Amino acid sequence: MERHVRRLLTVITEASLERSLVSDLKEFGARGYTITDARGQGHRGKRALEWEHSGNIRLEVICDAALADRLAAHLRERYYDHYAMILFVQDVEVLRPEKF
Amino acid sequence: MERHVRRLLTVITEASLERSLVSDLKEFGARGYTITDARGQGHRGKRALEWEHSGNIRLEVICDAALADRLAAHLRERYYDHYAMILFVQDVEVLRPEKF
Amino acid sequence: MERHVRRLLTVITEASLERSLVSDLKEFGARGYTITDARGQGHRGKRALEWEHSGNIRLEVICDAALADRLAAHLRERYYDHYAMILFVQDVEVLRPEKF
Amino acid sequence: MLAIDPVVLFFVLGVAAGLARAELRLPAAIYDFVSAILLLSIGLKGGMQLATQPVGNLLGDVALVLLLGVLLPLVAFPVLRFAGRLPRADAASLAAHYGSVSVGTFAVAISYATRQGIPYEEYMPLFVVLLEVPAILVGILLARGVSRTTRWGPLAHELFLGKSIVLLLGGLAIGWAAGPAGLEPIAPLFFDLFKGVLALFLLEMGLIASAQLAGALRHGLFLVAFGLVAPLAFSVVGIGFGVLMGLSPGGVMLLAVLAASASYIAAPAAMRTAVPEANPAISLTASLAITFPFNILVGIPLYHRLTELLLNG
Amino acid sequence: MLAIDPVVLFFVLGVAAGLARAELRLPAAIYDFVSAILLLSIGLKGGMQLATQPVGNLLGDVALVLLLGVLLPLVAFPVLRFAGRLPRADAASLAAHYGSVSVGTFAVAISYATRQGIPYEEYMPLFVVLLEVPAILVGILLARGVSRTTRWGPLAHELFLGKSIVLLLGGLAIGWAAGPAGLEPIAPLFFDLFKGVLALFLLEMGLIASAQLAGALRHGLFLVAFGLVAPLAFSVVGIGFGVLMGLSPGGVMLLAVLAASASYIAAPAAMRTAVPEANPAISLTASLAITFPFNILVGIPLYHRLTELLLNG
Amino acid sequence: MLAIDPVVLFFVLGVAAGLARAELRLPAAIYDFVSAILLLSIGLKGGMQLATQPVGNLLGDVALVLLLGVLLPLVAFPVLRFAGRLPRADAASLAAHYGSVSVGTFAVAISYATRQGIPYEEYMPLFVVLLEVPAILVGILLARGVSRTTRWGPLAHELFLGKSIVLLLGGLAIGWAAGPAGLEPIAPLFFDLFKGVLALFLLEMGLIASAQLAGALRHGLFLVAFGLVAPLAFSVVGIGFGVLMGLSPGGVMLLAVLAASASYIAAPAAMRTAVPEANPAISLTASLAITFPFNILVGIPLYHRLTELLLNG
Ligand SMILES: Nc1ncnc2c1ncn2[C@@H]1O[C@H](COP(=O)(O)O)[C@@H](O)[C@H]1O
Ligand SMILES: Nc1ncnc2c1ncn2[C@@H]1O[C@H](COP(=O)(O)O)[C@@H](O)[C@H]1O
Ligand SMILES: Nc1ncnc2c1ncn2[C@@H]1O[C@H](COP(=O)(O)O)[C@@H](O)[C@H]1O
Ligand code: NA
Ligand code: NA
Ligand code: NA
């Protein structure tokens, strides 16, 4: 089975940014994304999942290296200053490269 | 501390497949799995977590390379045509290789 | 954009350990963590999310290699004998190394 | 008196909020909670009355209702396949959805009957259970024939152990065993709150349906037309069966509603397992975004009129 | 009779459990459920009475209430900016929070009024809706002027399609359309359970507020002082407007409570979108951990007295 | 009248659905919601009556109940260790579970008493709180002696700040402070819905217990036997203490039920923290899959009879 390497970009950030991030993803041409609800702590304090938008989301996007770079740069510029957010990138192997 | 490399297979797919996937895993001899609820979007449209089986699951299996290959091939053959599903594989380091 | 490599330590374990793990993390000097609720199966049987502490958590910590090693060793020593727990480690690229 | 049942206004609110993309989410856990209470309530109410019923009298009705469940998808399939030119799997899946029933629609019809003071056979919830499965089985056979590759095990599981069957049947059994006096201590939750809980359920269904509405037109005008015409046609078949069974006018109307309603829980789950090549979005859009709103907004009063007309005409 | 309303004791229990870090979590889904029921209940109750009201009479009141919503943040801002030496964004954000309203506080005030047998204009929930948005708009303008870079689209969305507005307005509309007789079947859930549901809501709010309490002092004494003094001052303004509008004493008291209350749902969400550079912890701590407890424990009876004093004095 | 309490039928439904692996999941959030309401209801009811009670009269009872909580695990431990040949940690953990109590079982017993018209001391919920902790402490000491390595801090936290203690005690305190008149506005939720909510809780417990049942036999016949005999033996001890305390027959019966019941919430959590080497599956299987069903299906009426026999004999 042939494998193809793509990039997995994971973003952990405030739940209230979901709508905004999803529209960013579309604008940049990502072909899909996956979100799970999360809680956690970082430089901007503790974020629990107790009510309204008090929790985090954990957003994953698989895409090619170029798009991953562009997305990461955009997120850094647009959100890092004012929102709780971290992101990290990894290589992953996928079966159907045309999907990502 | 000695490290051992294993494969982490991540599958994101329709929640209604959970039972079926878990029984596949057992059949193929996986020693464990972890599932989180997720939502997302891909080629087969948006999948939210609003009711019944409208959401996704995110399934992780750590195993050796051979099993990861066999599982990936099986999933592709059995589910890709008719279900919303992506999968990707990574290397991970574990402490107790005998567990996986 | 410059990338920096850090370690991503993922721990999957019993939900009842959350408080204890979080205080371990602080003690060891981790700068943050992220938790999602999970279910799964391993050597210690099935863990669902049905009531009280019957489920798992999936804890992620991004940190430098030395801290990841120390944390992994600590978790192994303190919890492995009596609790359902697995952990694995990966390399990830981050944008702002000073955060982790 | 306001023409429309106020609980239906909650559905309208949900649809409006959904279409406006309002920040209104009711988590899946609440959906599960509210729908479980509704299913149990309906079951309990039916079971309570079943106890007073000589079983012999019901056997004929049971057979007729099962026949109705088999007939409806057999009528729908050729229309969908040939008039609608749908692929075999999709036509079969839609036929299964429309032959089966929607408990939510039934709940609104009960609310309507109570509001209008229309009496009906209180054991009707039994028919809901009976109507849920046969059409789905027929749909599967239509899609794949008596294929050897069909895995009937998981399928039977899906069919007979789905949430709605278990809670309706469970409620029926408990209601039957406990009787009206036995149920009194739990009446405040299951009976007094019924309409309020139904209102919350409809609010949630409105939000869910609105998310499907966007897709409705994408699947073509034929689907929209089918989603509006099929319930009308089926309601007449339902009225016919109701008359054959000798039901009261209220009972006839409720059977018409059941025939007219389309499944959006049991059928999607079962067809996904048994006929995965059918596009689930087509059936769900039709039943949830077209037929469900049509039935609760327009259909129920219409079937009421129709029943009156046909019974007295 | 116990001086304190028992529902408030649930808040105290929640705070105590939270501070003791007890193993007591009510999942977010429950919060969503309970708060949705409260919002709908309040809306329905208000709407039911609105039907009996000649609209013309209300227009003046509507204008005055909107004015109140604009005025309050304009008063708060300079105090915060100059006396409190807060950065512009934070001062504007706090002003928006305190100019807007808390439906939870309003619910406790209604419970208080019922308990004390104080009559009031039943359409007051309309004022809750009217007071929610204007102060937030003013706060945004205070923070950024009429900047070109403000994305008003998403913002309008956040403002007018937030959960509380949609459910309150939806409830008002349904209540208005259905009237008292129409709502009867859903009264057991939305009216009879109101205080019990409010108790659960306050238990949850206690847990949530206690988590914020830790941060309260970290932000300095000025913030604590503001969180206690602002509601007092604003309640007097509210009383003034109530008198101007010719409300009954009960209505005046409720308007005082609304003026004194600070938003912890709509305002945080909107300010996060429109003024991200404002530190959200400051506003939330003040409104949730200082002002909310103060209002429901001490403020409401106090504003009641104050109203009596000023009306009879 | 049906011999069995209808609420218990919901438990049977849950077990049946679980064993059949039906598609019936009630999310954890619903479990949390329903159990919180039950705990508060029980606490409020008890507290309401506590107000009418001279405290002095209760002190002796309190001491005896605490003694009962210490005694039961001390009786169970040697049996488990020597007759059952269980490892020390497991024997101690089981002893803790069976010495402590199950609020769910108590709720069913209250429902039973109401149904049968049996009066009892309404402040019994106080005893539930008192019985929860001592046995767990004894169990920990049995497992590890007065070891220096035990971290008592987190443990005390687990013990005294668990969900059930906090909500029961909180309810007791609020009920005591508010009194019957004060609680009236929240009675529709906490008192009128009690049995309906209990039915939902038991449905959920049935699903949960059924998942444990599979493991019951795997742990050997001794465990099953212990899970059936221990409650019987303990119920007699409970009756003895009830008589010593001079309780009414209804009160004696409820104390017997408490003694016979085994903890499946507080004890598992505490033992996991304090005695991690004990296999949690053993204790949970016994208490949840064997003793809980036995008690609510057979035990409660049995202890009722036993009480009558021993009191009149
Ligand atoms: N070192 C870390 N490891 C894992 N997750 C982190 C880490 N730092 C921050 N996070 C997550 O990212 C969110 C935002 O981080 P921050 O902007 O630092 O507050 C936190 O709420 C955590 O969920
Ligand atoms: N590029 C992607 N990155 C991350 N998740 C994806 C991506 N594409 C699809 N997914 C996830 O996989 C699910 C199934 O994908 P699909 O089969 O393309 O509809 C979606 O609902 C998403 O949750
Ligand atoms: N091979 C595996 N792959 C993925 N997750 C696993 C695996 N083994 C165990 N787990 C997860 O780790 C938890 C604890 O594992 P264990 O200690 O083996 O019972 C399980 O409940 C699973 O959620
Ligand atoms: Na039908
Ligand atoms: Na205000
Ligand atoms: Na006991």
Side-chain angles (χ1 to χ4, degrees):
Chain A
M1 203 160 28
E2 214 187 333
R3 296 296 167 68
H4 307 264
V5 175
R6 286 289 175 279
R7 300 285 275 172
L8 166 62
L9 168 70
T10 305
V11 184
I12 300 167
T13 191
E14 310 183 7
S16 62
L17 286 183
E18 177 163 340
R19 214 176 265 228
S20 181
L21 287 179
V22 165
S23 91
D24 288 350
L25 289 180
K26 279 195 190 135
E27 207 173 286
F28 277 77
R31 311 282 280 277
Y33 62 87
T34 297
I35 294 176
T36 48
D37 290 317
R39 53 191 179 278
Q41 187 154 3
H43 288 78
R44 288 182 186 258
K46 202 162 184 168
R47 301 191 57 83
L49 274 169
E50 285 159 355
W51 68 304
E52 303 295 328
H53 295 302
S54 65
N56 282 333
I57 53 170
R58 185 183 186 280
L59 169 78
E60 291 174 303
V61 188
I62 299 173
C63 54
D64 61 35
L67 179 53
D69 275 354
R70 270 182 297 131
L71 277 172
H74 167 74
L75 296 176
R76 176 162 71 167
E77 190 183 318
R78 168 111 181 255
Y79 300 104
Y80 267 26
D81 287 346
H82 300 308
Y83 295 95
M85 177 182 283
I86 66 165
L87 66 78
F88 54 89
V89 189
Q90 290 163 282
D91 281 341
V92 295
E93 298 166 29
V94 300
L95 298 185
R96 297 177 298 177
E98 70 283 3
K99 283 203 68 168
F100 304 100
Chain B
M1 201 162 30
E2 216 187 330
R3 295 296 168 69
H4 306 264
V5 174
R6 287 288 175 281
R7 299 286 273 173
L8 167 63
L9 169 70
T10 305
V11 186
I12 299 168
T13 190
E14 309 183 8
S16 63
L17 286 183
E18 176 162 343
R19 214 176 267 229
S20 182
L21 287 179
V22 165
S23 91
D24 288 351
L25 288 182
K26 280 196 188 134
E27 209 173 284
F28 277 76
R31 312 282 280 278
Y33 62 86
T34 298
I35 294 176
T36 46
D37 290 317
R39 53 190 179 278
Q41 186 154 2
H43 288 78
R44 287 182 186 259
K46 201 161 185 168
R47 301 192 57 81
L49 275 168
E50 285 160 355
W51 68 303
E52 304 294 326
H53 295 301
S54 65
N56 282 333
I57 53 170
R58 185 183 186 280
L59 169 78
E60 292 174 301
V61 188
I62 300 172
C63 54
D64 61 33
L67 180 52
D69 274 355
R70 272 183 295 132
L71 277 172
H74 167 75
L75 295 177
R76 174 161 72 166
E77 190 183 318
R78 170 110 179 253
Y79 300 104
Y80 268 27
D81 287 347
H82 300 310
Y83 294 94
M85 178 182 283
I86 66 164
L87 66 79
F88 54 89
V89 189
Q90 292 163 280
D91 282 339
V92 294
E93 298 166 31
V94 300
L95 298 186
R96 297 175 300 177
E98 70 284 1
K99 283 203 67 167
F100 302 101
Chain C
M1 202 161 27
E2 215 189 332
R3 295 297 167 67
H4 306 265
V5 175
R6 285 290 175 279
R7 301 285 275 172
L8 166 62
L9 168 70
T10 305
V11 185
I12 299 168
T13 191
E14 310 183 6
S16 62
L17 286 183
E18 177 163 340
R19 215 176 265 231
S20 182
L21 287 179
V22 165
S23 90
D24 289 351
L25 288 181
K26 280 195 188 136
E27 210 173 283
F28 277 76
R31 313 280 279 277
Y33 61 87
T34 297
I35 294 177
T36 48
D37 290 317
R39 52 191 181 279
Q41 187 154 1
H43 288 79
R44 288 180 186 260
K46 202 163 183 166
R47 302 191 56 82
L49 273 168
E50 285 159 355
W51 68 304
E52 304 293 329
H53 294 301
S54 65
N56 283 334
I57 52 170
R58 182 181 187 284
L59 169 78
E60 291 174 301
V61 188
I62 300 173
C63 53
D64 61 34
L67 178 52
D69 275 354
R70 272 182 295 131
L71 276 172
H74 167 74
L75 296 177
R76 175 161 74 167
E77 191 183 317
R78 168 111 180 254
Y79 300 104
Y80 267 27
D81 288 345
H82 301 308
Y83 294 94
M85 178 182 282
I86 66 165
L87 66 78
F88 53 88
V89 189
Q90 291 163 281
D91 281 341
V92 294
E93 298 165 31
V94 300
L95 297 186
R96 297 176 298 176
E98 69 284 1
K99 282 202 68 167
F100 304 99
Chain D
M1 191 166 64
L2 186 69
I4 203 169
D5 188 342
V7 296
V8 172
L9 294 176
F10 285 82
F11 180 77
V12 175
L13 174 58
V15 170
L19 290 181
R21 307 198 59 207
E23 285 294 343
L24 185 59
R25 278 179 259 185
L26 289 177
I30 298 315
Y31 171 86
D32 288 343
F33 184 55
V34 160
S35 61
I37 294 180
L38 278 190
L39 288 162
L40 285 169
S41 297
I42 293 174
L44 289 167
K45 227 176 194 167
M48 206 165 78
Q49 303 295 333
L50 219 53
T52 68
Q53 210 58 24
V55 179
N57 293 8
L58 284 178
L59 286 185
D61 286 5
V62 165
L64 277 172
V65 164
L66 290 174
L67 182 65
L68 175 62
V70 170
L71 194 71
L72 293 178
L74 289 175
V75 170
F77 181 71
V79 175
L80 290 159
R81 186 90 177 89
F82 302 112
R85 296 201 200 160
L86 286 175
R88 184 187 190 89
D90 289 329
S93 175
L94 264 168
H97 282 69
Y98 278 79
S100 183
V101 289
S102 144
V103 189
T105 311
F106 182 71
V108 177
I110 282 183
S111 171
Y112 177 87
T114 321
R115 197 170 129 83
Q116 306 273 343
I118 306 168
Y120 57 88
E121 285 72 10
E122 297 262 10
Y123 54 83
M124 293 286 304
L126 178 65
F127 298 167
V128 183
V129 176
L130 293 173
L131 278 172
E132 194 163 316
V133 173
I136 300 176
L137 277 172
V138 171
I140 294 169
L141 291 174
L142 286 171
R144 26 193 52 198
V146 195
S147 152
R148 293 223 186 112
T149 63
T150 307
R151 309 203 305 171
W152 289 101
L155 193 62
H157 185 272
E158 202 80 63
L159 278 175
F160 296 105
L161 292 168
K163 184 175 81 175
S164 48
I165 294 257
V166 169
L167 288 179
L168 277 175
L169 263 188
L172 277 166
I174 294 175
W176 175 81
L183 293 187
E184 223 165 87
I186 58 173
L189 176 58
F190 290 108
F191 300 156
D192 299 353
L193 294 190
F194 179 74
K195 287 213 177 182
V197 171
L198 180 58
L200 291 177
F201 173 78
L202 289 174
L203 177 64
E204 190 134 20
M205 288 310 296
L207 289 167
I208 293 168
S210 73
Q212 304 288 334
L213 256 180
L217 281 176
R218 200 186 321 134
H219 296 294
L221 266 180
F222 173 78
L223 198 71
V224 177
F226 180 80
L228 298 174
V229 174
L232 274 174
F234 282 13
S235 75
V236 177
V237 182
I239 291 174
F241 271 74
V243 172
L244 242 111
M245 289 157 62
L247 296 177
S248 69
V252 171
M253 181 199 83
L254 286 180
L255 196 64
V257 170
L258 283 175
S261 76
S263 167
Y264 48 78
I265 298 178
M271 298 317 278
R272 205 79 196 95
T273 302
V275 190
E277 65 271 29
N279 180 348
I282 292 180
S283 303
L284 199 63
T285 298
S287 87
L288 195 57
I290 302 169
T291 302
F292 181 73
F294 173 74
N295 274 334
I296 70 169
L297 291 171
V298 182
I300 293 174
L302 198 69
Y303 311 146
H304 181 201
R305 284 284 159 83
L306 224 58
T307 306
E308 286 181 335
L309 259 170
L310 295 175
L311 287 190
N312 306 334
Chain E
M1 190 166 66
L2 187 68
I4 203 168
D5 189 341
V7 298
V8 171
L9 295 176
F10 284 81
F11 180 75
V12 176
L13 174 58
V15 170
L19 290 181
R21 305 197 60 203
E23 285 293 344
L24 186 59
R25 277 179 259 185
L26 290 177
I30 299 314
Y31 170 86
D32 288 343
F33 185 54
V34 160
S35 60
I37 294 179
L38 280 191
L39 288 163
L40 285 169
S41 297
I42 292 175
L44 289 168
K45 228 176 192 165
M48 206 165 80
Q49 303 296 332
L50 219 51
T52 68
Q53 209 60 23
V55 179
N57 292 7
L58 284 179
L59 286 185
D61 286 5
V62 165
L64 277 172
V65 163
L66 290 174
L67 182 66
L68 175 62
V70 169
L71 191 71
L72 292 178
L74 289 177
V75 170
F77 181 71
V79 175
L80 291 158
R81 187 88 177 91
F82 302 112
R85 294 199 200 163
L86 285 174
R88 184 186 189 90
D90 289 329
S93 175
L94 264 167
H97 282 70
Y98 278 79
S100 183
V101 289
S102 143
V103 188
T105 310
F106 181 71
V108 177
I110 282 183
S111 171
Y112 176 87
T114 322
R115 197 172 129 82
Q116 306 273 343
I118 306 169
Y120 57 89
E121 285 73 9
E122 299 262 11
Y123 54 84
M124 294 287 302
L126 178 65
F127 298 166
V128 183
V129 176
L130 293 174
L131 279 172
E132 195 163 314
V133 173
I136 300 177
L137 278 172
V138 171
I140 295 169
L141 292 175
L142 286 171
R144 25 194 55 197
V146 195
S147 152
R148 294 224 184 109
T149 64
T150 307
R151 309 204 304 171
W152 290 102
L155 194 62
H157 185 271
E158 202 83 64
L159 278 175
F160 296 106
L161 292 168
K163 185 174 79 172
S164 48
I165 293 257
V166 169
L167 289 179
L168 278 175
L169 263 188
L172 277 166
I174 294 175
W176 175 81
L183 295 186
E184 225 167 84
I186 58 173
L189 176 58
F190 290 108
F191 299 157
D192 299 353
L193 295 190
F194 180 73
K195 286 214 178 181
V197 170
L198 179 60
L200 291 177
F201 174 77
L202 289 174
L203 176 63
E204 192 133 20
M205 289 309 297
L207 289 167
I208 293 167
S210 74
Q212 306 287 334
L213 255 180
L217 281 175
R218 202 185 321 134
H219 296 294
L221 267 180
F222 174 78
L223 197 70
V224 177
F226 180 80
L228 298 174
V229 174
L232 275 173
F234 282 13
S235 75
V236 178
V237 182
I239 292 174
F241 270 75
V243 172
L244 241 109
M245 290 157 62
L247 297 177
S248 69
V252 171
M253 182 198 83
L254 285 179
L255 195 63
V257 170
L258 283 175
S261 75
S263 167
Y264 48 79
I265 299 178
M271 297 316 278
R272 204 80 196 95
T273 302
V275 190
E277 64 272 28
N279 180 348
I282 292 180
S283 302
L284 199 63
T285 299
S287 88
L288 195 57
I290 302 170
T291 302
F292 181 73
F294 172 75
N295 273 334
I296 70 169
L297 292 171
V298 183
I300 293 173
L302 197 68
Y303 309 145
H304 181 202
R305 284 283 159 82
L306 224 57
T307 305
E308 287 181 334
L309 260 170
L310 295 175
L311 288 189
N312 306 333
Chain F
M1 191 167 64
L2 186 70
I4 202 168
D5 188 342
V7 296
V8 171
L9 295 176
F10 285 81
F11 180 75
V12 176
L13 174 59
V15 171
L19 291 180
R21 307 196 59 205
E23 285 295 343
L24 185 60
R25 278 179 258 184
L26 290 177
I30 299 313
Y31 171 86
D32 288 343
F33 184 55
V34 160
S35 60
I37 294 180
L38 279 189
L39 288 163
L40 285 169
S41 296
I42 293 175
L44 288 168
K45 228 177 193 164
M48 206 165 79
Q49 302 296 331
L50 220 53
T52 68
Q53 211 59 25
V55 180
N57 293 8
L58 283 179
L59 285 186
D61 286 6
V62 166
L64 277 172
V65 163
L66 291 174
L67 182 65
L68 176 62
V70 170
L71 193 69
L72 293 177
L74 289 176
V75 170
F77 181 70
V79 175
L80 290 158
R81 185 90 177 90
F82 304 112
R85 297 203 197 157
L86 285 175
R88 184 187 189 88
D90 290 329
S93 175
L94 264 167
H97 282 69
Y98 279 78
S100 183
V101 290
S102 142
V103 188
T105 311
F106 181 71
V108 178
I110 281 183
S111 172
Y112 177 87
T114 321
R115 199 170 128 82
Q116 305 274 342
I118 305 169
Y120 57 89
E121 285 75 9
E122 297 263 11
Y123 54 83
M124 294 286 303
L126 177 65
F127 298 167
V128 182
V129 176
L130 293 174
L131 278 172
E132 196 163 313
V133 173
I136 299 177
L137 277 173
V138 171
I140 294 169
L141 292 175
L142 286 170
R144 25 193 54 196
V146 194
S147 153
R148 294 223 185 111
T149 63
T150 308
R151 308 204 305 171
W152 290 101
L155 194 62
H157 185 270
E158 202 81 64
L159 278 175
F160 296 105
L161 292 169
K163 184 175 79 174
S164 49
I165 294 255
V166 169
L167 289 179
L168 278 175
L169 264 187
L172 277 167
I174 294 174
W176 175 82
L183 294 186
E184 223 167 87
I186 58 173
L189 175 58
F190 290 109
F191 299 156
D192 300 353
L193 295 190
F194 180 73
K195 286 212 178 184
V197 171
L198 180 58
L200 291 177
F201 174 77
L202 289 174
L203 176 64
E204 190 134 22
M205 288 310 296
L207 289 167
I208 293 168
S210 73
Q212 305 288 332
L213 255 180
L217 282 175
R218 202 188 321 136
H219 295 295
L221 267 179
F222 173 78
L223 197 70
V224 178
F226 180 80
L228 298 174
V229 174
L232 275 172
F234 282 12
S235 76
V236 178
V237 181
I239 291 174
F241 270 75
V243 172
L244 241 110
M245 290 156 62
L247 296 178
S248 69
V252 171
M253 182 198 84
L254 285 180
L255 195 63
V257 171
L258 283 175
S261 76
S263 168
Y264 50 77
I265 299 179
M271 298 316 278
R272 204 79 196 96
T273 302
V275 190
E277 64 272 29
N279 180 347
I282 293 180
S283 302
L284 198 64
T285 299
S287 87
L288 195 57
I290 303 170
T291 302
F292 181 73
F294 173 75
N295 274 334
I296 69 167
L297 291 171
V298 183
I300 292 172
L302 198 69
Y303 310 146
H304 181 201
R305 283 284 158 80
L306 223 60
T307 305
E308 286 182 335
L309 260 170
L310 294 175
L311 286 190
N312 306 332

